Amino acid sequence: MAGQCLGRGVNSMKMLKRSFFSAAARALAALAAAGMLAATPQHAAAEELAKNLFGSERLPAATAPQSIGFYSKGCFTGGVALPLTGPTWEVMRPSRNRNWGHPALISLLERFSRDAANQGWPGLMIGDISQPRGGPMQTGHASHQIGLDADIWYQPMPRQPTSLAEREKVPFVSMLKPHSLAVDGRRWTPAHTRLLKLAATYPQIERILVHPGIKKELCDTVTGDRSWLAKIRPFWGHDEHFHIRIGCQPGSPDCKRQAAVPPGDGCGKPLAWWFTDEPWRPSKNPDAPKARDLMTMASLPKECRAVLTAPSPVSVAAATYHGGSSDVAVAAAPADDAPRPKAVIGEAGLPATASAFAPTPAIGIPLPRPRPGN
Ligand SMILES: [Zn+2]
């Protein structure tokens, strides 16, 4: 770029550049005057959106696991897939190909589903995690970009296996009474509270996003130990699923941490705000473009360019989490109506990366930022 070349000959370079740029500027001015240029800046118009590049990747970057950037602006390498069907979970909307994550998150989801089953929850219905190489998505989710976020439906997994085709259509079920901020007592049960409490006990889970109405229900009903409520953070949406987020993992020097959650159960003033009109007013600018519609590769950490061009594993199966144990019979991509695998992944079967689960201090979500449109 101009101004970056140094040393001898710089003056003649500058002159050359100056004359080139002034000629180019004159040409652009002429085009603009003729109405032949779009109003958008030329660079932005020419550069492909990051959501299209990352959204078309079918396989992860086959390098060491590493999250790069922030939950809402980044990418990751070394992703592994959660099997679409496990003994204690089902991946929902499997055609989206968003069952990819950092190995630490994928093995934690497996463990969470097993622990939940042991306390009586029939199994987890797991929603979106990340794209194979993370990055912004063509639809939904501002975050989920660095392989450390996962959505889990509030509905328990059905006792009978659901086919992959059915999982594309199973409707989302809100836990709220229609047009209200209060949970529907016919759907919300003490088992839901126990499930969220279990999620909050894992030190690697730093925060859990739920609808403010669900947070209120917990604030009103949880007795005894309430310290775990600190991780339960109210946020728009999240009435038919909750969102778990783990912290930056070892080996990810370019992963940007979030600020710590405030101490306390979060049931006081910050929650009261959600029960005022302010958070629910219609957006003043509903047609404003979303971040994903503006983000080019230049918006992401520069390391994400290399993530896009990194080699792939040979297949989805080669990058699917199997727990590293020979007694694990979890299919990578079971046929529709395949029986649910019975094996339970043992603690000893966790992959080497699981030992990277260094306990992290409890931290929380930032206070409300501009409301997402979905
Ligand atoms: Zn989410």
Side-chain angles (χ1 to χ4, degrees), residues 38 53 122 130 153 162 176 190 227 232 236 242 260 276 316 319 322 336 338:
L53 297 169
S130 284
W153 293 29
T162 314
L176 302 178
S227 61
I232 309 280
W236 289 278
F242 59 100
T276 67
V316 170
H322 287 279
D336 266 16

Side-chain angles (χ1 to χ4, degrees), residues 128 141 143-144 149-151 209 238 241-244:
D128 288 355
H141 305 298
S143 64
H144 291 251
D149 295 284
D151 288 344
L209 309 186
H238 300 90
H241 73 271
F242 59 100
H243 173 141
I244 62 168

